[in-house]
Amino acid sequence: MHYKIRQHASGPIFFLYFFLLQMNFLNFYPLSFYQDNPFNYSGDLLATGDKGGRVVIFQREQENKSRPHSRGEYNVYSTFQSHEPEFDYLKSLEIEEKINKIRWLPQQNAAHFLLSTNDKTIKLWKISERDKRAEGYNLKDEDGRLRDPFRITALRVPILKPMDLMVEASPRRIFANAHTYHINSISVNSDHETYLSADDLRINLWHLEITDRSFNIVDIKPANMEELTEVITAAEFHPHQCNVFVYSSSKGTIRLCDMRSSALCDRHSKFFEEPEDPSSRSFFSEIISSISDVKFSHSGRYMMTRDYLSVKVWDLNMESRPVETHQVHEYLRSKLCSLYENDCIFDKFECCWNGSDSAIMTGSYNNFFRMFDRDTRRDVTLEASRESSKPRASLKPRKVCTGGKRKKDEISVDSLDFNKKILHTAWHPADNVIAVAATNNLYIFQDKIN
Amino acid sequence: MLSKGLKRKREEEEEKEPLAVDAWWLDPGHAAVAQAPPAVASSSLFDLSVLKLHHSLQQSEPDLRHLVLVVNTLRRIQASMAPAAALPPVPSPPAAPSVADNLLASSDAALSASMASLLEDLSHIEGLSQAPQPLADEGPPGRSIGGAAPSLGALDLLGPATGCLLDDGLEGLFEDIDTSMYDNELWAPASEGLKPGPEDGPGKEEAPELDEAELDYLMDVLVGTQALERPPGPGR
């Protein structure tokens, strides 16, 4: 992979030649790219979930000589209602159908499987294609009516006839009633048999085949709720070591646990925490240190955490401090009180790696998202909006003016729109294709070099 | 949208200063804040945090992360205000009624106890719904409502300072909870076939033996009342 670097008026700024591939007008989040499998003949898939409990899956167009311009476009492959609003009679309240997370399972046959979860219930969905229909049954007519067996005088072999491609989504497993608190993460294990689900205080381990029980592997609920000072904010399995997982907390710590050491992983194997910088200490120190997302690198050697103002890359072998810290929007540090007042300080941003772990991406406000190249140490701010995206034209880097004279094309901190937040982003596991969920739109950007 | 200034609607007496110098909310120990008037500003931030705490608790199912972060921030603010209240009067006029400040100085312990009780009350409400869970955690639910009244009284003292925040007192938060439901042994984990928890503790006066018909009737009543407000979902 190589990037073009263009001199900008204010100095060399690194950016990828990303351009807007397409935009879909729906409230989409979260996002999950499907890992491209050489045996997957149906191509790349992108799954998204929305507030209404719906899951929409996009499929990437294969290269088609008759329509060369559509190559790489993502078309709707399947839409289904994953979760419905439920009513908890015990607590007298409604359980939202909003999808919190979606995770694909590795493909094992022609069908695709994904896990989707709302606050309380996880569901395993099977997405399968049907492009053939059997005709000529012996025991039933073409319209489905059963035939009287005694009237059958001759046997025939049903034949398969082609039909229009139909993509069906069917719920295969429902994993319910295991979480008192709101589920914030699900993560499929590298053994392809188990997965974990995490809520504010507990993490459960499931077997994909078994729905009536789960193992509780982390429980940080204090005996006395008065002593509660910390909650679990995210959890993920290691990409290769099936016995290792991490979970992050609202106090900015990450614990790595090894399931081989004990059944209940309340005692961590590793504890990652960066000592607080005394010069920047404030009443909001804890809130901005709260980790909103944790992601292992594809290599499994690093992990990345997102807190309110920065993204940190940790080497799993070093617990004392991160190996890299990237500032997402440091200019907000002086505005923390206002952001506390309007609750923006509690926003939970996600982050993601590119396929080679050389770049990371995360969202910000004003429909901005940030990319950091770890090799060249350069970063760029891009915008996901209709106004700033011309079809097939590269995205222009954006810059926020923190004080003093505002240059042309710069935007001042006070003009930022804090209602336009990009919380969910995803990077294709192999190509430079990214998906960005901004307010009511899903944006898919692609690198020109692709 | 970010507002340029921090306009506090409730405390008209306080100076409405824009947050041009946002350093005022820094830890009083910080050198840069030495000149700023911490007492007034902290009181404003304190009130804001209390407001957020109440708002969070009033949700039918509070966001635990939000709640914990707000409570921890509130504790930090409170810890920094306590020594400040003992200092000689700050030159700039403390325009706020300072009822909150005076109360803080005298009822620190009561405040943290009441905040802790708030969390505990929350846990009792949460604990009641843990019937299907394998872990039986909280104490007898009967204790929660009884214990709420005296400990929440301390926070009632903040009523005047926080204005219309506490219209009918904090007990109003729990008015609509029908405690007779929670005293019912029906909801104990034992009925789910799991190990019986402390819910069957001494807090219960009676030990009703409900049969299927009564359970059905109870469910109908619940569904019936809820149907008035909104149609029930597909059920569990």
Side-chain angles (χ1 to χ4, degrees):
Chain A
M1 254 186 322
H2 53 282
Y3 309 137
K4 256 195 182 167
I5 298 174
R6 192 211 279 175
Q7 290 289 110
H8 196 266
S10 64
I13 292 177
F14 158 78
F15 62 93
L16 296 163
Y17 258 136
F18 272 109
F19 67 95
L20 175 64
L21 187 62
Q22 66 192 76
M23 190 169 61
N24 294 70
F25 297 94
L26 281 161
N27 207 345
F28 282 128
Y29 68 90
L31 305 165
S32 186
F33 272 109
Y34 177 70
Q35 189 89 18
D36 195 20
N37 185 318
F39 303 107
N40 174 7
Y41 52 83
S42 43
D44 289 309
L45 299 175
L46 168 67
T48 63
D50 71 0
K51 253 189 336 204
R54 263 186 326 164
V55 170
V56 178
I57 301 174
F58 294 85
Q59 184 186 46
R60 196 181 195 183
E61 278 288 319
Q62 296 302 314
E63 188 162 344
N64 189 335
K65 294 211 168 27
S66 63
R67 293 179 62 218
H69 296 296
S70 74
R71 181 184 165 276
E73 262 180 25
Y74 280 80
N75 298 319
V76 176
Y77 178 68
S78 171
T79 305
F80 58 93
Q81 189 73 31
S82 170
H83 286 71
E84 298 272 3
E86 283 182 45
F87 196 76
D88 185 335
Y89 292 97
L90 218 53
K91 289 193 205 175
S92 274
L93 42 82
E94 201 171 77
I95 300 169
E96 283 182 25
E97 66 276 31
K98 172 170 86 77
I99 306 289
N100 291 340
K101 282 281 159 29
I102 294 178
R103 289 284 180 262
W104 287 102
L105 264 61
Q107 191 177 23
Q108 284 164 331
N109 52 40
H112 295 99
F113 290 85
L114 63 78
L115 287 170
S116 70
T117 185
N118 66 351
D119 283 339
K120 300 285 184 181
T121 305
I122 306 130
K123 294 188 184 180
L124 175 69
W125 287 88
K126 175 181 178 183
I127 296 103
S128 49
E129 290 183 2
R130 201 176 344 170
D131 61 354
K132 291 184 181 57
R133 188 181 60 234
E135 275 181 14
Y137 283 98
N138 291 294
L139 292 176
K140 62 180 180 187
D141 287 337
E142 296 309 317
D143 52 9
R145 274 184 308 173
L146 293 172
R147 291 163 90 190
D148 190 354
F150 293 107
R151 295 194 192 281
I152 298 170
T153 53
L155 285 179
R156 56 186 176 171
V157 177
I159 50 173
L160 292 175
K161 290 237 173 98
M163 59 181 253
D164 287 338
L165 178 67
M166 198 164 70
V167 181
E168 296 173 315
S170 56
R172 305 305 281 183
R173 305 270 187 277
I174 296 179
F175 305 91
N177 297 326
H179 285 280
T180 308
Y181 305 99
H182 293 174
I183 297 174
N184 53 53
S185 310
I186 47 174
S187 177
V188 183
N189 205 351
S190 52
D191 63 7
H192 302 171
E193 286 183 352
T194 57
Y195 76 95
L196 63 76
S197 58
D199 66 29
D200 293 316
L201 298 179
R202 299 192 179 100
I203 301 180
N204 293 331
L205 179 72
W206 302 83
H207 192 283
L208 285 164
E209 299 289 328
I210 299 167
T211 58
D212 63 354
R213 82 192 80 132
S214 67
F215 290 99
N216 177 242
I217 53 177
V218 172
D219 188 341
I220 66 167
K221 186 172 196 285
N224 236 342
M225 276 296 262
E226 299 172 18
E227 293 156 15
L228 180 67
T229 55
E230 195 174 11
V231 298
I232 297 170
T233 52
E236 201 185 42
F237 265 120
H238 191 275
H240 311 308
Q241 296 171 36
C242 59
N243 51 293
V244 172
F245 66 93
V246 293
Y247 67 93
S248 60
S249 83
S250 55
K251 285 197 169 173
T253 65
I254 309 102
R255 287 170 177 82
L256 184 143
C257 300
D258 188 331
M259 295 197 291
R260 295 173 302 188
S261 56
S262 67
L264 188 61
C265 300
D266 277 355
R267 295 166 64 88
H268 49 263
S269 300
K270 294 197 183 185
F271 183 77
F272 299 82
E273 187 180 30
E274 183 170 28
E276 195 181 4
D277 176 10
S279 65
S280 60
R281 199 164 181 272
S282 76
F283 289 127
F284 307 111
S285 291
E286 182 178 322
I287 301 180
I288 63 169
S289 75
S290 173
I291 291 172
S292 50
D293 194 16
V294 62
K295 291 260 170 51
F296 279 103
S297 64
H298 292 94
S299 64
R301 204 188 136 188
Y302 299 97
M303 68 177 174
M304 167 169 58
T305 57
R306 174 70 155 98
D307 50 74
Y308 190 62
L309 296 178
S310 68
V311 178
K312 295 178 180 169
V313 177
W314 302 78
D315 186 322
L316 293 186
N317 297 316
M318 187 163 79
E319 301 164 57
S320 53
R321 55 181 167 81
V323 290
E324 292 166 30
T325 300
H326 302 277
Q327 301 300 336
V328 180
H329 36 221
E330 181 68 12
Y331 46 79
L332 294 182
R333 192 179 286 274
S334 58
K335 308 283 179 190
L336 290 181
C337 195
S338 307
L339 294 164
Y340 177 68
E341 193 186 3
N342 63 20
D343 270 345
C344 280
I345 206 175
F346 298 102
D347 285 338
K348 292 186 284 189
F349 292 94
E350 290 178 2
C351 52
C352 59
W353 299 85
N354 71 341
S356 62
D357 299 335
S358 65
I360 56 186
M361 173 169 64
T362 188
S364 177
Y365 294 104
N366 208 71
N367 282 344
F368 288 169
F369 59 101
R370 301 266 285 140
M371 275 188 201
F372 304 92
D373 185 311
R374 299 176 62 216
D375 300 332
T376 64
R377 306 256 167 233
R378 300 187 189 220
D379 61 82
V380 68
T381 304
L382 299 173
E383 184 178 351
S385 71
R386 287 178 71 187
E387 297 77 29
S388 69
S389 310
K390 293 182 178 27
R392 310 290 151 167
S394 306
L395 288 178
K396 214 174 57 159
R398 303 307 307 261
K399 194 139 167 54
V400 176
C401 164
T402 52
K405 203 158 155 44
R406 185 177 76 87
K407 299 195 182 81
K408 181 175 174 290
D409 286 346
E410 284 185 355
I411 179 164
S412 82
V413 185
D414 297 314
S415 309
L416 294 174
D417 188 344
F418 289 86
N419 292 319
K420 294 184 179 170
K421 44 193 97 175
I422 292 180
L423 304 175
H424 307 270
T425 58
W427 206 314
H428 191 282
D431 297 332
N432 268 347
V433 176
I434 57 174
V436 172
T439 323
N440 291 326
N441 301 312
L442 169 71
Y443 293 83
I444 299 179
F445 298 99
Q446 183 172 294
D447 186 11
K448 216 165 208 171
I449 296 166
N450 242 11
Chain B
M1 305 289 180
L2 261 189
S3 53
K4 292 266 173 66
L6 185 67
K7 302 238 190 276
R8 308 297 308 155
K9 295 190 190 83
R10 286 189 190 81
E11 289 119 12
E12 278 96 9
E13 303 90 282
E14 260 189 10
E15 297 167 7
K16 294 190 183 72
E17 277 175 354
L19 283 175
V21 182
D22 266 25
W24 57 256
W25 43 260
L26 285 173
D27 208 7
H30 194 270
V33 196
Q35 303 86 18
V40 176
S42 288
S43 161
S44 162
L45 192 61
F46 178 84
D47 291 339
L48 174 62
S49 300
V50 170
L51 180 71
K52 284 190 181 300
L53 178 63
H54 281 302
H55 182 72
S56 194
L57 286 171
Q58 273 166 355
Q59 311 267 331
S60 45
E61 219 180 357
D63 178 356
L64 215 57
R65 172 183 164 260
H66 185 271
L67 188 62
V68 161
L69 288 173
V70 168
V71 168
N72 289 351
T73 306
L74 204 45
R75 286 192 178 128
R76 273 198 198 206
I77 298 166
Q78 181 208 334
S80 73
M81 285 174 81
L87 288 170
V90 182
S92 58
S98 293
V99 177
D101 289 337
N102 293 338
L103 286 167
L104 273 174
S106 57
S107 63
D108 253 358
L111 181 63
S112 42
S114 59
M115 276 201 291
S117 300
L118 273 172
L119 272 179
E120 192 187 24
D121 295 331
L122 172 72
S123 80
H124 284 133
I125 294 166
E126 289 279 273
L128 297 163
S129 66
Q130 282 178 29
Q133 301 311 314
L135 302 172
D137 346 57
E138 277 69 34
R143 195 181 67 181
S144 71
I145 307 305
S151 56
L152 287 174
L155 270 178
D156 266 344
L157 296 172
L158 294 175
T162 47
C164 60
L165 171 63
L166 304 165
D167 286 344
D168 48 1
L170 283 160
E171 283 84 27
L173 282 173
F174 301 102
E175 257 170 21
D176 58 349
I177 296 177
D178 179 5
T179 61
S180 62
M181 258 171 54
Y182 302 139
D183 288 335
N184 196 327
E185 212 178 61
L186 183 67
W187 313 118
S191 66
E192 299 289 323
L194 301 154
K195 71 176 199 274
E199 272 93 336
D200 302 316
K204 294 207 165 35
E205 250 58 66
E206 62 242 347
E209 297 284 316
L210 286 180
D211 57 6
E212 281 270 287
E214 289 196 41
L215 168 59
D216 284 343
Y217 173 71
L218 217 69
M219 285 302 294
D220 285 339
V221 167
L222 277 172
V223 172
T225 24
Q226 295 305 333
L228 292 173
E229 288 149 8
R230 69 170 92 94
R236 291 178 298 156

